[in-house]
Amino acid sequence: MEYMAIFGIDGGVSNGFGLKYPDYYKRNEKIYADSDEKAFENALGLAINHARYGLSNPETNYTTVRLLTLKDENNNN
């Protein structure tokens, strides 16, 4: 089954000169899973990757990732 996850990511952005600026953006990700539980587990794995590999917010020194929505192909939460 196909799921759609929407993440809110509070991190940083850089223009490539060693300076970082705060940035907030939303990211949509398709997830394929056999059950709601597995879809949630996969969404958490994606959130961990976004936090691990995204730039941190220079004001907090963290990258905060929130799972805003997770819906199946019938648009059910």
Side-chain angles (χ1 to χ4, degrees), residues 35-67:
S35 67
D36 293 346
E37 292 80 13
K38 187 65 176 171
F40 185 68
E41 182 180 314
N42 291 348
L44 290 179
L46 287 172
I48 290 168
N49 283 337
H50 290 310
R52 183 176 292 146
Y53 298 112
L55 290 176
S56 62
N57 182 326
E59 295 176 354
T60 63
N61 289 325
Y62 292 104
T63 302
T64 303
V65 180
R66 290 186 173 92
L67 178 60

Side-chain angles (χ1 to χ4, degrees), residues 2-55:
E2 181 178 294
Y3 294 82
M4 179 59 70
I6 301 175
F7 298 95
I9 303 172
D10 178 21
V13 66
S14 175
N15 59 8
F17 297 106
L19 297 174
K20 286 194 300 186
Y21 303 97
D23 188 36
Y24 178 85
Y25 58 97
K26 291 182 181 177
R27 184 168 177 137
N28 299 339
E29 298 272 354
K30 284 186 182 177
I31 296 172
Y32 297 94
D34 294 330
S35 67
D36 293 346
E37 292 80 13
K38 187 65 176 171
F40 185 68
E41 182 180 314
N42 291 348
L44 290 179
L46 287 172
I48 290 168
N49 283 337
H50 290 310
R52 183 176 292 146
Y53 298 112
L55 290 176

